[in-house]
Amino acid sequence: MYFPIRAITLDLDDTLWPFAPIGARVEQVLHDWLLQHCPRTAQRFPIEAMRALREAVYTERPDLSHDFSQLRRLSLVRAMELSGDDPLLHAEAAFETFYAERNRVEFYPDALPALERLAARVQLAAISNGNADLARIGVHHHFAFQLGAREHGTPKPAASIFHAACTQLAMSPADVLHVGDDIDMDVLGAHRAGLRSCWLNREGHAWPHDSIRPDLEFTTLGALADWLDAADPANHLHSNVQPDTAAA
């Protein structure tokens, strides 16, 4: 399969690293911090109760559905107010404890070597609905920029966030390949915005749609780097992978 690309935009959670271990760990780390600094909050809102409160705050504030950090802050303030702890003294420190742990990620084994290889060939940018911080994580030097739903104001799969990234890259959507794990947010979102799409299908799921398919499909980011290494000098890219790993 041949088509030119000039840049790659990448999803983060479950594309470069698995999110589930982070999600479980941050709740425990935050609860341990509350036990030490806000024991009344920790007692009234153990992990399950804090999770339920957070979901309630999310439901109340659909206007902030693109800003997980602010929703987390509001949840902590609410929990402290209800428990008799002072959020002015503790909420920001609690959030920082959560956020530091949220940015302690364990990359998929292929991800870091693949990032280096991809960044050596084309510009990379991150597009994420989450609140990971590439500078804190230590890989920002591979990326031209990071565009989050919080900064943009609208999450994927809205076309506007993909178009905003293309504008920052000073490129046409057709010249950009978006890579991500989520079928709706990443593949269909990018396709509808006019970008090329690559489904990072690490678990080997079957593609569920008949009318739309990703331009590419791989089980690792390293396989995408192999695909990119097959480029000719004009950057007209072609696939040397087997038919079941690259979509036609």
Side-chain angles (χ1 to χ4, degrees), residues 85-122:
D85 289 316
D86 188 350
L88 292 178
L89 292 178
H90 299 295
E92 194 57 36
F95 175 81
E96 179 55 34
T97 297
F98 150 79
Y99 199 54
E101 191 67 22
R102 190 266 181 268
N103 284 295
R104 190 167 69 85
V105 307
E106 184 174 346
F107 288 88
Y108 290 111
D110 62 288
L112 284 175
L115 273 180
E116 293 181 3
R117 293 170 61 193
L118 295 171
R121 298 200 60 107
V122 296

